[in-house]
Amino acid sequence: MYRKFKKRANPQKPLNAIDENTTYKVPRISSVDKTDDEIAAFVPESEEDNIPASQEQTQRFLSQHSIALAATLGRTQSSSKINCSRQPNSFFEMVLINAGVQLDNGDTFVLSCDHIAIVAKLRDILVRSPKYPDNIETFKAGLNVALAPKSKIAQKLLSGCTIDTAGEEQAYQSQNSMFINFLMIDFLREPCLDVLFNKIEEIAKLDRVQTTPGCLPLLPLMLAQLRYLTLSHSDQIYIHIERIFNNGSESSKLDIISNAEFVLDASKHDDFVELLIINYSSNKDLFHLGTVQMLNNLSLSARTQGKLRERILEFIKEDSSCSNVILPHLIRLLLNSLNQDTDDIVRQLVSTLREIFNWRHRAHSNDSTEMVRPTSNDKQSQLELFGFLQQGLRRSKRFYQIWQRTIGGLPSTEFRSFDFIMMLLLIHINEDNTLYIENLLRRRIKLEHMTVEILDEARTYFSHVLEQHIQVLMHILHDFVREKNRIVAEFAKSAYSILFKICNSIQKNILKKLLELTFDKSAQHVTTMALILMRELQRKNPKHVQNCAMLLLPLLDRLSDLTLPQTRLAMDLLCHIAFPEPKLTECAPLQDQIEMVVKKQQINCSEYVKKQGIIGCVQLIDAVARIETIIMDNEDLQTSVESITSLPDGRSKQAANLIMLTQSAIRNSPELLALFYDELASVLTVRHYNAESAYMLDNKFLIWLCELMTYRFQQSFVSEHQASTIKGIQLEYQKNINELDETNVNTESEVLSIGINVSELVLAPNSDASCSIFVLAPLFNLVSVLHNQRYQYSLEVINALLGCAIILPSFFDDANYVAIFDNYDEDLQKQILNIYFHTVNWIRVTICAFASQKHGATRKRVLMRLADLICIEQRLKLLLSHAPVGFVPPPCQFLNTPKQTGAQQGSRDKRQAGKTKTVTNETVGETEDQQVGNQSKLGNFTIKLGSCKSVKCKIDFEHLYGPLERYRQLDVGIILLLKEEPFTLNHPMEPEENGTHLGLLELRFILTDLVHKLGTVINGHQDVSEMDSLRSHVAKPEHFMCDLQECLGEISTLLKTLASYIDEQLEKVNNVHSNLDLFKDKFNYVKTCFGLCIHLFALYFSWNEWTDKSQAQLLQSSLRNALPEEQRKTIKKQSVANIASKVFDYFLKFEKSVLHIGTAVQLQRLLRSLRKLSYSPGENAARRAVQQAEEIRKTCTIMLKRKWFNHTGSLEKGAQCNIHLDELVKGFLKDSPFERQKDILSDLKEECGLLNKKDKALDSFPNVKKANFPLLFRGLCEILITTLSAQCNTDTDGDRFKLWESTISLLNGLLDVVQKVEQPRNFALFLKHSQLFLKLLLQHGLPVLEAIVRDSPERLIKFLSELQNVTKFLHNLCCHSKSIKNTAIICYIPSLRETLETLVFRVKALLAANKCHAAFHISILDNKDLHGDAIRTPAGSFANETNSDEEIPADDTSVDETVLDENVTTTSVSSSTRRSTINRSKSSSRSKCF
């Protein structure tokens, strides 16, 4: 309280020493008389008598502050000298001077002694005056003058003093003012307060108070004097403050508000807040920063806090741009409600806080100003804001628990980014709850309540607090990324990408975490995901990842443990960091290590390591050679580069040397050469076609490589010699369509007569690996890619290869090809089949290469080749049914080892060798099951044919390809055929339409391939060992989606055409779906193509990347293209949500055109995806989402009530049908309220008796029979428990017991169904879900029962009676299952017993607490089977039932049952009950429960 000052240069002399044994006579000083005379001179009206010089002992002071001063300051000796630099102007000043106060020394009064001595002197001077008490009025008048605004000593009176005591070397600064000393004197207190209040009121009315320059305002100083009289004068102070506040100026009101917490007593705080609420009708004026800070320090009642809470909520909603500076203080003000700490108040507080943050979020999402994104200046306020929330969570356990419970029970539409941040805070506050909250978050992610969009919003609006708790989130994501659930893993992957953008400080941590995941050998999918994510981070943030280059060096040591696709990802990442774009700095140490590793791998003896070397070298070549930024001009098109020596020194020559080095290392292996060409073509296609970066291949390097590969292809595979006969097979040039082109009139005849040497290379292979048939398709693919890049997407130089002839066996297109094929021995049959396969692969690669060409003649040849390809594949399908034992298709991809594949296939065929089947000439092709990873169920078909008998293959409309039909995958360019070519419904097509139109066969072929590619991209079905992993649609799915988006308009038009045709045919047969006209080949093709279109849209709009804001433009274009052309022009400026809603309504109309159950499931998935995309914040959007959910339920209801047939006209059945039915059942029951469940159960109970009859189905659901009835029953059980759990976690007012009454009623309905349709699977389902119900009853229901036991005992009796029906059945079911040793149910018995015992004793305790324990009786429950017959086994059971529990069989235990009497008010308990209870308390099972 005191500050030391240095003494003056000439300090005063110390006082003489006092000898206590000597008596001193001190004469009365005449200065007293002089003082009176002087005062009389200045104040003529005063007649003061002489003031005695002697002083009395210090009086008792009322102020507690004066006691503290007395304990602190012991210096009471007065200064021996008083500096009177001027004469006093009034009696008031003279009293101060005589008391030892220097008035004109500096900015403060200088006291010659401490405050206690000054107070004593003042008291003596005034009391001993002859004019006392009249001189008090004189003193008051002088004080009134001194406190005038322009007075020179007003500031000194109200501010601190300097204490300069004689004998001390230092002066002290006291914080107590002289006015405080006046208030310590009892007879001066009231006069001084009168003066002070008058001055405060006078100054408060002035808008501007003129004071001495450099001085503080007087009003705050005056108000500060009242803080020590708060307790003794609380009422008086508040009355004056209220009057002053009502009449004061705005600036004066702010001064009063800032001092209110010190001036007013706690009992007056509520009144003062009421005063503020009345005076400030505007919320903006009320919640000024100073006002909020003052309110935070007041002690307010719950009622006042409730009013403030309402005003704060209004303020936030009225002023959405509420300052980030004031918001933390408002939140702190709200958190003061925790002082009451009751459930209702805390629940209201949590609700208010969520509403405030969600309102601000909605306001920001609709705001385009700079306030949307927090700036660096907001960091302090944001951390302060959440710091207050953390303090509240630590301060109140109830607050923590209600927050946790509220987040756990939020509906899906109300979960926001703020709730996600609060989950992180809850984990940070209490780490013991980490597992629970993590599971809560995992469940929300699985249900898609927590999406990547919410996390991105958290990064946008709460970046600083998210950065503060990043370690908590990283720990959660580390667990999520290892999840097998695809949705959870994808969320973690996307989260890493989002967090990488927050700040530079966590980028290294993220890379370390991902690198750690790549070393995890326990889960390959985790390693793949981590590598993909690191590669994406490198491409999106090359500069930041480049700074961490050496951090990734250990990845090279991990290559030996990676699969080949994983090796591709790892080397792609490392090579583009070691050799980045020229504008970035290269990493020399990493370059040396990569080159050394690649060279060692290529000379390794292991074929697997060699493949790793090839893959790594291709990635290295691409990274090294990609340095060009200028597109090749016309002069460069004619330029030729003969050899490597002609290349300029630098990275282009280094890349060329790597190519030659790789070819020399693998020159003896055709499979490795094919892999090298495929890898090189794939990398060049991905990065050039999709414009991966601004840098392209060096022009000189591209010219050299293009000429080199074109020359090699021409020398190895283009033949012009006469075809010969090999091994008895006559070969000839076939399928030459180049001569049909009128533009080739001037072309040399040698070019038109060339052919691709397929058959000779198969029947008489060359020893040179570069001329192997395996290299044909990969090398041409590379040549076409290089020509596309060199000649700017033109293949005119090599267009002769599209329609040129192919050297094939003479019977290749013969009508009796099967009979001829059967006449050859097995070895030749295998080689003939290889010829067919290589021909198909060759045509596939040429079609994909030339599909992008715009020349009319070229496009015509592409369509002719496509029709020819489909015909050859159909022929090959039938030949494969005649294939010899152990036949393995030739490899079309070279990542896997063909020898291993062949061995596996051969052993499989040997196991099936004994299962032959003789069929007629109209045999079925094959019977495959697509559910078992391409494992064929094809037996050996021996077809007995005459030499000239034709064979017809039965069409499989379900699956285009069988298990042995493994062809080369089509490239993405096949999409262009849909966009450019017209479509016809004619089947077969008219002659004039051949080569100009797409038919049903061609459409099915293309759509099947696109659906397969989309399934690979969307659902992640690709195996890490498949060749698909190097395709462009897998390497860069976003570019594939962008390409597909361009064709969505054409696909939508096709869908509309197909649907119109289906509707016309249905009208012709009066909508009888079993009519045979609906199962003809043409109509089956139409149904198949229609289903493929729906499937394609369903996959496309389910892409999880749509939540990324960077894909918003692509999504909007895709949705627009999905609509009919006439609607696209009217929605250009609408939001994504509105367009998605229109697309939803559009596809909903196709429900009547669905004739296959698989298509019905895909339509449901499409509608769900569109509903998700059409969601946006707002009441209208929420209402629209509810309406769309109801439309989906109606659609699923219609689909389930429809009878489904396969393409042959038979009723749908089998495993795949049940899978589709299960999904429709889930959609049919999803989010159904109790009322709807009750109606469904009511109808089902009436119909389920039909299932007991042979081969009968339900009337309402024609495809549901007794065999698959558990699908429907499981759905009913799951929706019951799901609805109950959701309701339990939601805080709602009203009669909570109705929830449990409705649930037990539905559970009894399920019990009736189980008893009518006795099926073991249903028994297990009912037992499992009944146990879940009992657990929920224990957790949430017993408190509700406690509230109802006194109010409505009859309702409780009915509830427990219905529950007893269920538990008795469970008891009988367990006894029955144990007697017949049904292990599927026996495994549930221990946990069910424990649940029942817990419930029994909890209910007993409940009744005892309400003095109803006499109603709790125990009796014996016999072991009976499901039909009520006694089971004669020694096994006992325990089933206590307070009308709610029965017993579960257990060995060597008594069987009890508790029964609730009708008279609940009975209070007597039988002795048998007490004895039984005591005996049961000794059981081990109860001790386990309690």
Side-chain angles (χ1 to χ4, degrees), residues 1193 1229-1238 1279 1283 1306:
R1193 278 196 296 270
L1229 296 172
K1230 187 175 178 63
D1231 297 331
S1232 296
F1234 283 134
E1235 292 76 12
R1236 185 168 185 265
Q1237 295 180 45
K1238 185 178 180 180
I1279 190 62
T1283 307
L1306 291 173

Side-chain angles (χ1 to χ4, degrees), residues 117-180:
I118 291 294
V119 169
K121 287 184 177 183
L122 289 173
R123 181 188 299 274
D124 288 344
I125 293 173
L126 293 173
V127 170
R128 292 186 179 277
S129 172
K131 299 296 184 179
Y132 177 82
D134 296 336
N135 58 356
I136 301 301
E137 289 298 326
T138 308
F139 185 87
K140 178 180 177 182
L143 177 61
N144 188 47
V145 174
L147 287 179
K150 297 182 179 181
S151 174
K152 295 182 179 179
I153 64 172
Q155 289 274 345
K156 297 181 181 182
L157 276 172
L158 300 174
S159 57
C161 303
T162 301
I163 300 177
D164 187 3
T165 306
E168 297 290 338
E169 295 183 357
Q170 298 291 335
Y172 295 88
Q173 181 69 36
S174 170
Q175 300 299 323
N176 292 285
S177 65
M178 179 57 64
F179 196 88
I180 296 293

Side-chain angles (χ1 to χ4, degrees), residues 1408-1426:
N1410 289 274
K1411 298 181 181 181
C1412 302
H1413 54 280
F1416 191 85
H1417 290 278
I1418 298 176
S1419 60
I1420 302 301
L1421 183 63
D1422 295 331
N1423 291 345
K1424 297 180 181 181
D1425 61 13
L1426 294 177

Side-chain angles (χ1 to χ4, degrees), residues 24-36:
Y24 291 89
K25 294 182 179 180
V26 181
R28 187 177 298 272
I29 304 175
S30 60
S31 61
V32 177
D33 299 331
K34 182 180 178 181
T35 301
D36 290 341

